[in-house]
Amino acid sequence: MPPTRSMTMAASQVPRWMFAALLVHGCSSAGAVDVDGHGDGGALLDGALETSEVTLATFPPRGFRDVGVDHWARPFIDALSARGVVAGYPDGTFGPERRLSRGELAALLAEGLELRAAPTATGRHAPPQFSDTRGHWAESAVGEVWRTGAMAGYPDGTFRPQATVSRVEVIAALDAWLRAQGLEPSVAGEPMRYFEDANDVPRWASAAVARALSSRIPATGGLRRRLRPLEPVTRAEAVAMLHQTLHVSARRLPLVSRGLQGVCRNDDECATGELCERLPAAGSFCTDVRPSVAGALPVLMYHDVVASEADATAPDDVTEARFRAQMRWLAEGGYAALTSGEAIRYLLTGRSPYPGRPLVLLTFDDGYLGNYERAWPILRELGLRATYFVHTDFVGTGGAAVKRKMSWEQLAEVEASGVVEVHSHTRTHPRLAELDEAQISRELHGAAQALFSRGRPNPRLLAYPFGSHDARVRALARGYHRAAFRVASAPAATGGDLMAIPRIGIGRHVDLETFASFFRRAPQH
């Protein structure tokens, strides 16, 4: 499988733990070798390290044959492999369950945390004098983690780079780095009480583990109530924990996964099908939920709200007058227009946030300027809330020949009003089911990152463009979103698939009588 991006560096600086394909300059074979001595490439690499430079080639996200779209660590591996921090074996695998050594962990931290550019936090400037790292492939990385305080050696003067790393050692190293940055999260409650094996955490690491749990850094691969602190860490777990640490330091888009453990502050930090629930003494944790009451929620899908019938150029356009009449019908009927968080919690539990009132979720696709100029004032006037889905590459675009879209400033304004929240409609509005996995990931990640970088801390919802989705799309979307919406003609049922919530399209030909009929199948609450 050919690599899609590469970087050239001094051979002595190559982080061998990355298991990348190496194209060795000056070697007649110029072939891909295994950079950890696995397979036939080990001897070639030893010779390569004596050369001046090598080209390191990383694989695209779809290249990891052993990390499927439904693997719990897929979004973390994709994110860091795209940056060149991690890569796979020459055969296109990643080895997510492979154990890490201390030398490999040092290289991962030095690369991922950019320790070569980091100021020292320990007052250490001279290289460490570990007796077992001189000439070792990880010697430079060991020096960086030692200099910055992320890792330390043993009292006998060794570093033991070949020793297997436990999960608690990774947590302690990441905690040390965060504290060196002045980022020491407060610990609410006693989060370790949630775990059945909390007594296995060594006393020297208990404070670090508690802080890590408060930041949702520990990764357990989907196990609940078990930390497994003394078990060897896997590559997948280490990558996930590194990514979460980068998120804590405000450098990375937050991702969601059932593989993470720790205290949650709100539902948006939980994966699909989970809610952030308060547990006695331990704090709040993401918990699987099943509906206790059967119910249904009408989810309406609008596009542009235009000034008059003469301005309606698409079947999805709704005139301002017709939109006002529909919204007034909802307001006079006592409907509670839910926030997205309220809607997801209701669909998960069946418990209405507004007992005795009928419910509705209002959504608008594509970020048309008409939703700012006409829909938003009506929603605000009638006390109805809504969710806008925008394709981020087209925010602020349009003109005489193409419908204008809201600007980032206008999106911020409507969201600041408390009436509207803004979520993802991908970057460029493609039919996702027709794309390959790498293209799907770029669409999902790019849009979520654009929203995150502009003040959306948790852009957790997705509307599939054209309603196009399949099992691959839904699985990849779970890394970025708690719920996603498709197109249908029926209300959403409690207990249904949150990655395929149906929406009822409202277009130019939906009169008030037809509009009212959409609610007859939804029960009162």
Side-chain angles (χ1 to χ4, degrees), residues 125-129 143 146:
H125 298 282
Q129 302 300 312
W146 176 83

Side-chain angles (χ1 to χ4, degrees), residues 423-502:
H423 291 276
S424 174
H425 202 28
T426 72
R427 288 180 54 201
T428 65
H429 204 269
R431 295 182 184 274
L432 292 174
E434 297 177 3
L435 305 183
D436 64 33
E437 291 176 17
Q439 293 169 323
I440 295 168
S441 292
R442 284 194 291 270
E443 285 287 337
L444 298 174
H445 181 273
Q449 181 64 51
L451 291 165
F452 174 70
S453 65
R454 288 171 173 82
R456 278 292 305 158
N458 290 297
R460 288 298 183 229
L461 301 187
L462 169 69
Y464 300 121
F466 307 102
S468 174
H469 66 100
D470 57 19
R472 298 172 310 130
V473 173
R474 293 191 298 273
L476 289 169
R478 287 189 186 96
Y480 305 95
H481 306 289
R482 297 183 60 230
F485 295 83
R486 60 186 175 93
V487 180
S489 58
T494 56
D497 185 355
L498 289 181
M499 298 309 295
I501 299 173

Side-chain angles (χ1 to χ4, degrees), residues 165-468:
V165 183
S166 69
R167 293 163 46 73
V168 73
E169 289 177 281
V170 177
I171 292 171
L174 294 171
D175 175 72
W177 180 80
L178 283 172
R179 286 188 291 115
Q181 312 307 304
L183 301 170
E184 186 167 336
S186 59
V187 179
E190 301 178 60
M192 282 198 290
R193 293 182 60 176
Y194 175 74
F195 298 93
E196 298 169 355
D197 55 356
N199 289 336
D200 293 342
V201 176
R203 182 171 298 180
W204 62 267
S206 60
V209 171
R211 286 190 292 266
L213 287 169
S214 295
S215 299
R216 292 187 60 75
I217 288 174
T220 60
L223 293 178
R224 286 288 184 264
R225 311 200 74 136
R226 288 188 60 79
L227 283 170
R228 301 180 292 123
L230 303 180
E231 293 184 19
V233 72
T234 66
R235 276 166 56 80
E237 292 167 345
V239 167
M241 288 192 274
L242 171 61
H243 188 282
Q244 289 302 99
T245 301
L246 292 170
H247 162 55
V248 171
S249 65
R251 298 185 180 188
R252 292 290 172 268
L253 171 74
L255 300 175
V256 290
S257 171
R258 288 177 172 269
L260 299 177
Q261 286 279 21
V263 175
C264 55
R265 281 157 285 277
N266 54 60
D267 291 343
D268 282 341
E269 293 186 338
C270 300
T272 302
E274 299 177 327
L275 291 176
C276 185
E277 301 281 68
R278 178 75 184 175
L279 301 176
S284 297
F285 285 79
C286 294
T287 305
D288 286 309
V289 178
R290 294 291 181 268
S292 57
V293 180
L297 174 68
V299 182
L300 305 188
M301 176 181 66
Y302 288 91
H303 286 78
D304 198 7
V305 177
V306 298
S308 67
E309 191 64 38
D311 300 306
T313 59
D316 293 330
D317 290 344
V318 175
T319 65
E320 181 176 7
R322 181 160 284 185
F323 178 74
R324 176 180 289 277
Q326 292 168 353
M327 296 302 102
R328 183 180 295 116
W329 186 92
L330 291 174
E332 291 175 353
Y335 276 82
L338 303 182
T339 66
S340 64
E342 290 171 339
I344 300 307
R345 184 169 273 267
Y346 168 69
L347 290 174
L348 276 172
T349 65
R351 298 190 297 269
S352 172
Y354 303 98
R357 295 181 63 184
L359 307 176
V360 66
L361 177 63
L362 302 173
T363 70
F364 295 74
D365 285 6
D366 299 342
Y368 289 112
L369 185 61
N371 296 335
Y372 173 78
E373 294 179 337
R374 287 173 280 277
W376 176 46
I378 293 172
L379 293 168
R380 187 171 48 183
E381 174 190 335
L382 297 175
L384 300 171
R385 295 172 296 186
T387 297
Y388 287 5
F389 291 105
V390 299
H391 31 75
T392 55
D393 279 15
F394 300 143
V395 169
T397 64
V402 180
K403 283 190 174 186
R404 291 179 61 194
K405 306 294 178 70
M406 297 170 63
S407 67
W408 286 112
E409 292 75 18
Q410 290 166 335
L411 289 169
E413 183 182 355
V414 298
E415 194 159 38
S417 72
V419 173
V420 172
E421 54 188 275
V422 179
H423 291 276
S424 174
H425 202 28
T426 72
R427 288 180 54 201
T428 65
H429 204 269
R431 295 182 184 274
L432 292 174
E434 297 177 3
L435 305 183
D436 64 33
E437 291 176 17
Q439 293 169 323
I440 295 168
S441 292
R442 284 194 291 270
E443 285 287 337
L444 298 174
H445 181 273
Q449 181 64 51
L451 291 165
F452 174 70
S453 65
R454 288 171 173 82
R456 278 292 305 158
N458 290 297
R460 288 298 183 229
L461 301 187
L462 169 69
Y464 300 121
F466 307 102
S468 174

